[in-house]
Amino acid sequence: QVRLQESGPGLVKPSQTLSLTCIVSGGSISSGSYYWSWIRQSAGKGLEWIGRISASGKLNYTPSLKSRVAISVDTSNNCFSLNLTSVTAADTAIYYCARAPESMSRSLDLWGRGTLVTVSS
Amino acid sequence: DIQMTQSPSSLSASVGDRVTITCRASQSVNTYLNWYQQKPGKAPDLLIYGASSLQIGVPSRFTGSGSGTDFTLTITSLQPEDFATFFCQQTYTTPRTFGQGTTVEIK
């Protein structure tokens, strides 16, 4: 079955760029009608939707992060990525990648296990 | 952004109890409302989508209802494995937004 796995550094220095990749296995990122999403969870702010991308590159970002975030898709390597620039301690969180079918009320029906990213010098 | 407010923030219940969690949206989301269950150290799992449709594999003791701005998640007979945190999420518009969560604890 399809699985998602986040990868990337667990520690990022303040003002630097957080970069994570979500590897999709067991199925093609291009098949079906899905949006591929990033969500984060911190103690202070609960679950926060960061943004999403389709296999064709259609993008949506949450306004509060839009100036710092970029999501991209790499269909040849079956993965999608998150870049968040100028990070601060407030960006410390567990970052999840997830799949959102166009059907099923556009819910997040499949999640990665999550990866903790700490912003600290 | 559409604000999602859950109540209560936490509750204590016993095995076999009927449990109800509510979620209110700051504006209508039609039935674009989903519920997730999260256990400690794990990612959230989809329980219900479209306000009332049960995700494949989810036990029938979980039911969802509502439309517009007011929604309910009910667990008809609480089981030991149901103790967790539950989140609602609206997918009517972007940015998608979540409720703050309701933690169901053992009484």
Side-chain angles (χ1 to χ4, degrees), chain B residues 91-106:
Chain B
T91 47
Y92 181 71
T93 189
T94 58
R96 310 302 197 214
T97 45
F98 294 88
Q100 81 279 14
T102 296
T103 300
V104 177
E105 300 168 326
I106 301 172

Side-chain angles (χ1 to χ4, degrees), chain A residues 36-86:
Chain A
W36 304 93
S37 309
W38 288 98
I39 302 99
R40 68 182 182 180
Q41 186 172 32
S42 60
K45 293 193 73 175
L47 285 165
E48 181 178 22
W49 184 84
I50 298 170
R52 64 176 189 170
I53 190 167
S54 69
S56 63
K58 294 179 188 176
L59 282 162
N60 295 99
Y61 298 130
T62 194
S64 63
L65 297 174
K66 192 172 183 178
S67 63
R68 299 195 290 131
V69 71
I71 296 174
S72 58
V73 64
D74 182 348
T75 54
S76 56
N77 287 305
N78 224 39
C79 65
F80 61 107
S81 297
L82 169 71
N83 276 1
L84 183 65
T85 62
S86 304

Side-chain angles (χ1 to χ4, degrees), chain B:
Chain B
D1 299 4
I2 297 177
Q3 307 303 315
M4 308 300 294
T5 303
Q6 287 181 236
S7 61
S9 296
S10 65
L11 64 92
S12 295
S14 301
V15 172
D17 283 354
R18 180 185 181 93
V19 168
T20 299
I21 299 168
T22 64
C23 177
R24 175 164 287 176
S26 60
Q27 64 188 76
S28 176
V29 298
N30 199 326
T31 56
Y32 287 96
L33 191 285
N34 312 303
W35 290 98
Y36 302 87
Q37 178 189 49
Q38 186 178 33
K39 296 182 179 178
K42 302 292 187 182
D45 284 322
L46 177 65
L47 289 177
I48 288 170
Y49 62 92
S52 60
S53 296
L54 208 59
Q55 169 67 328
I56 294 170
V58 173
S60 59
R61 63 180 179 272
F62 291 94
T63 61
S65 64
S67 67
T69 60
D70 293 307
F71 301 87
T72 300
L73 172 68
T74 300
I75 310 171
T76 53
S77 177
L78 199 65
Q79 298 302 301
E81 60 269 29
D82 300 338
F83 292 94
T85 300
F86 297 85
F87 295 93
C88 61
Q89 179 211 22
Q90 67 80 20
T91 47
Y92 181 71
T93 189
T94 58
R96 310 302 197 214
T97 45
F98 294 88
Q100 81 279 14
T102 296
T103 300
V104 177
E105 300 168 326
I106 301 172
K107 182 183 271 186

Side-chain angles (χ1 to χ4, degrees), chain A residues 2-54:
Chain A
V2 178
R3 295 191 178 184
L4 307 181
Q5 177 67 57
E6 304 88 352
S7 66
L11 181 64
V12 181
K13 289 182 166 44
S15 80
Q16 294 192 341
T17 297
L18 180 161
S19 296
L20 296 174
T21 295
C22 182
I23 299 167
V24 180
S25 59
S28 170
I29 201 169
S30 300
S31 67
S33 297
Y34 297 109
Y35 273 91
W36 304 93
S37 309
W38 288 98
I39 302 99
R40 68 182 182 180
Q41 186 172 32
S42 60
K45 293 193 73 175
L47 285 165
E48 181 178 22
W49 184 84
I50 298 170
R52 64 176 189 170
I53 190 167
S54 69

